[in-house]
Amino acid sequence: MHLYDYAKSLVLEAGNHLRQWMTETLDIETKSNPNDLVTNVDKAVEQFLVDQITSTYPQHQIIGEEGHGHDVTALEGVTWVIDPIDGTLNFVHQSANFAISVGVFKDGKPYAGFVYDVMADTLYHAKAGFGAYKNEQLLEPIEDTNLAQSIVGMNANWLAGKKISPVLTPIIQDSRSARAYGSAALEIVHVATGQLAAYITPRLQPWDFAGGMIILNEVGGIATNFIGKPLEITHPDSVIVANKAVHETILNDYMMPNYDFLAPWHKNYKQ
């Protein structure tokens, strides 16, 4: 089976398992803080994906949220970047609005991206250079908008007394409105489908953006960090994903005037 078709079927199969496992008792643990949750289902889904990939493609590398491949720095060959449940808080509290996110890279370059909205049974997927799809529907290129008439995705926690809030608050004030969905992968595909004009976050792990970024690229969206650098899958970063016009506005009018503040912030991400 072709690698793209294999990855697509694997993500769907993982979603089927996830729906079954979520009916069982959840074991919930905290990670970096009380709101950073992981469940036995997160771990089971990741282990399922890892076992299937390694048995089929033992030479492939895997970077997974729940502990696999965090020391990967060289990207020769094929690398899978997987988040078994992006939006674990939503999974625990809502039993909805979460996704399986998978990005596949060849020699560090995007090959295929998958974001599976499990409870909606909606798979967003793309092979680099061949367009992006919502299930079997080809996605149209996203249209440019202006910020004043745009909805922006941003977690309100970043605006509440955070050091970065003076940079971010004016963007929200100058937009039409803001939304927070609680799953970075879903918010990125909402940009790819035009439901959001942009999604902005000061810190995001590679497994959160890897799959969605590839889908976004295929519809003409732009993904960079706050100082305009490309996103890399070997370290966390700040993220702006947007249609081209709104991305240019956010970067040039709000981020670059704060470059002296933001540049040292970003150096810390690679340590």
Side-chain angles (χ1 to χ4, degrees):
M1 184 183 292
H2 195 274
L3 178 57
Y4 179 74
D5 294 327
Y6 173 80
K8 182 180 176 182
S9 64
L10 181 61
V11 170
L12 292 172
E13 187 177 359
N16 288 334
H17 285 299
L18 196 162
R19 283 188 289 265
Q20 295 171 7
W21 291 332
M22 68 186 293
T23 63
E24 303 171 5
T25 301
L26 283 183
D27 295 328
I28 303 171
E29 303 172 20
T30 60
K31 295 192 290 186
S32 62
N33 63 68
N35 297 323
D36 187 9
L37 304 183
V38 61
T39 73
N40 54 317
V41 180
D42 294 73
K43 296 176 181 178
V45 173
E46 180 164 314
Q47 194 60 56
F48 168 77
L49 291 168
V50 169
D51 289 346
Q52 295 299 311
I53 295 166
T54 54
S55 65
T56 307
Y57 300 105
Q59 72 277 24
H60 289 187
Q61 296 188 109
I62 301 170
I63 302 172
E65 178 175 14
E66 305 311 333
H68 292 88
H70 287 198
D71 57 347
V72 170
T73 56
L75 298 176
E76 290 81 6
V78 176
T79 303
W80 298 65
V81 186
I82 60 178
D83 190 340
I85 301 180
D86 182 64
T88 300
L89 273 174
N90 291 350
F91 172 72
V92 170
H93 288 273
Q94 302 173 346
S95 298
N97 303 313
F98 60 88
I100 298 172
S101 177
V102 174
V104 184
F105 296 78
K106 289 186 172 181
D107 295 326
K109 296 181 179 179
Y111 169 72
F114 306 86
V115 173
Y116 185 31
D117 185 339
V118 175
M119 302 311 292
D121 192 23
T122 301
L123 178 65
Y124 302 88
H125 56 103
K127 181 180 177 182
F130 290 88
Y133 292 81
K134 178 182 179 181
N135 292 327
E136 302 310 312
Q137 176 187 355
L138 180 67
L139 296 179
E140 297 293 329
I142 53 176
E143 297 181 0
D144 286 340
T145 60
N146 64 71
L147 184 62
Q149 296 177 321
S150 295
I151 297 178
V152 174
M154 187 185 298
N155 188 325
N157 289 338
W158 292 109
L159 304 176
K162 301 286 186 178
K163 186 178 180 181
I164 194 76
S165 62
V167 178
L168 301 179
T169 299
I171 301 172
I172 302 304
Q173 291 173 329
D174 293 344
S175 71
R176 174 162 281 172
S177 190
R179 297 289 185 271
Y181 294 88
S183 165
L186 289 178
E187 294 189 76
I188 294 170
V189 297
H190 288 339
V191 176
T193 58
Q195 296 176 66
L196 291 173
Y199 169 61
I200 305 167
T201 184
R203 185 176 178 87
L204 203 61
Q205 295 288 348
W207 44 81
D208 296 316
F209 62 71
M213 177 178 67
I214 296 171
I215 296 165
L216 181 81
N217 289 344
E218 289 301 300
V219 294
I222 305 295
T224 69
N225 68 12
F226 281 8
I227 54 176
K229 302 297 183 183
L231 302 178
E232 300 178 15
I233 60 170
T234 53
H235 59 82
D237 212 335
S238 61
V239 169
I240 309 169
V241 300
N243 65 56
K244 290 180 180 178
V246 168
H247 186 278
E248 182 177 358
T249 296
I250 292 170
L251 186 64
N252 292 337
D253 294 355
Y254 300 88
M255 299 302 181
M256 298 315 287
N258 291 289
Y259 182 87
D260 289 344
F261 168 76
L262 293 171
W265 174 289
H266 286 79
K267 288 181 180 178
N268 295 330
Y269 287 169
K270 296 189 178 183
Q271 294 177 356

